[in-house]
Amino acid sequence: MTALAFVGGTGPLGRGLGLRLAMAGHSVVLGSRSAERAEGVAAELDAPVGGTDNAAACAGAEVAFVTVPFEGQESILPTLGRELEGKIVVSTVVPMAFDAGGPHPLAVSEGSAAEQCQALLPGSRVVSGFQWLPAPTLLKAEVVVEMDVPLLGDDEAAVEQVAALARDVKALHGFMAGPLRLSSTVEGLTPLLISVNRRYKAHTGVRFAGLARD
Ligand SMILES: NC(=O)c1ccc[n+]([C@@H]2O[C@H](COP(=O)([O-])OP(=O)(O)OC[C@H]3O[C@@H](n4cnc5c(N)ncnc54)[C@H](OP(=O)(O)O)[C@@H]3O)[C@@H](O)[C@H]2O)c1
């Protein structure tokens, strides 16, 4: 069992991924700017999940997931540097906006949201992943989500630990996909998936053809 925290865990992705990882037997605490809000949100999930403020959640965790909007990470992450020192931090963040033409990726000066995360938390071991998982589906505990979860990072041991967490969730296949500098490629696919899902009223995901699975 791994102690997991979600920074901004009160949103759909933090709740959905937190639910699935708690169902897989991990200790999950949702973080928030408001401990009260996190406690309330956690209590509504169909699994034993805790809730507290972001700093307390991170202090007690071995692995922290960043599940805040891209616009929020520049202000919140530097406040958590001490709690996240030396720990694995999973960036799920997609730099993306919507306009009349639909969803589109945003340019990030560091290269990607995950690389920005690493720059904001230089003492942490950042791994990028989970950007393609649809939160509404994760929140339906009875639905099996059969998808690949490519993980990117420069610390192979950290990536392998996060890949094992992903594989603990039924039908998710987490695997090392490459260095952190490739994260913009993975992050950039999310607007495409949303575009496809909107057009075909679907909940599509990605499976890599030809990849060996257990
Ligand atoms: N939704 C999906 O299906 C999905 C799938 C894959 C990846 N993602 C990525 O995962 C991240 C979370 O997605 P989401 O849909 O769950 O996001 P969200 O609902 O917009 O935000 C999640 C939480 O972040 C906190 N937050 C919002 N603005 C903040 C700020 N300026 N500073 C600090 N905290 C802030 C809020 O929690 P408190 O108010 O409680 O602090 C909020 O409940 C995003 O970066 C998104 O790109 C989402």
Side-chain angles (χ1 to χ4, degrees):
M1 185 205 285
T2 306
L4 308 175
F6 286 80
V7 178
T10 53
L13 188 68
R15 283 185 282 130
L17 204 47
L19 170 67
R20 297 292 176 142
L21 288 161
M23 287 165 59
H26 294 289
S27 162
V28 172
V29 177
L30 304 184
S32 167
R33 291 167 293 183
S34 154
E36 203 176 31
R37 181 159 52 243
E39 285 164 20
V41 167
E44 287 172 8
L45 292 177
D46 291 333
V49 170
T52 184
D53 62 82
N54 285 318
C58 290
E62 299 164 79
V63 176
F65 289 76
V66 180
T67 53
V68 297
F70 174 64
E71 316 77 69
Q73 76 168 9
E74 259 187 309
S75 57
I76 194 76
L77 292 184
T79 70
L80 301 170
R82 194 163 48 89
E83 291 80 3
L84 295 174
E85 182 74 25
K87 295 182 180 175
I88 296 174
V89 172
V90 185
S91 174
T92 70
V93 173
V94 179
M96 184 181 77
F98 291 84
D99 61 17
H104 61 94
L106 296 174
V108 183
S109 55
E110 291 83 353
S112 63
E115 287 166 284
Q116 183 183 84
C117 175
Q118 184 66 82
L120 295 168
L121 295 170
S124 300
R125 306 158 72 195
V126 173
V127 174
S128 165
F130 301 91
Q131 294 91 347
W132 303 342
L133 297 186
T137 312
L138 291 173
L139 280 162
K140 292 177 188 149
E142 71 286 0
V143 177
V144 175
V145 185
E146 198 173 358
M147 289 186 194
D148 281 337
V149 181
L151 295 158
L152 303 159
D154 299 330
D155 180 330
E156 292 245 359
V159 174
E160 281 310 329
Q161 201 171 327
V162 178
L165 287 173
R167 291 194 298 266
D168 285 342
V169 177
K170 188 178 175 188
L172 287 189
H173 183 70
F175 63 97
M176 170 52 153
L180 202 62
R181 69 179 187 178
L182 295 184
S183 188
S184 64
T185 318
V186 174
E187 295 169 18
L189 198 63
T190 300
L192 176 68
L193 288 172
I194 293 172
S195 174
V196 169
N197 288 342
R198 282 182 161 190
R199 184 170 292 267
Y200 296 102
K201 300 193 188 337
H203 298 284
T204 58
V206 175
R207 299 267 284 168
F208 284 74
L211 185 68
R213 296 176 183 79
D214 302 336

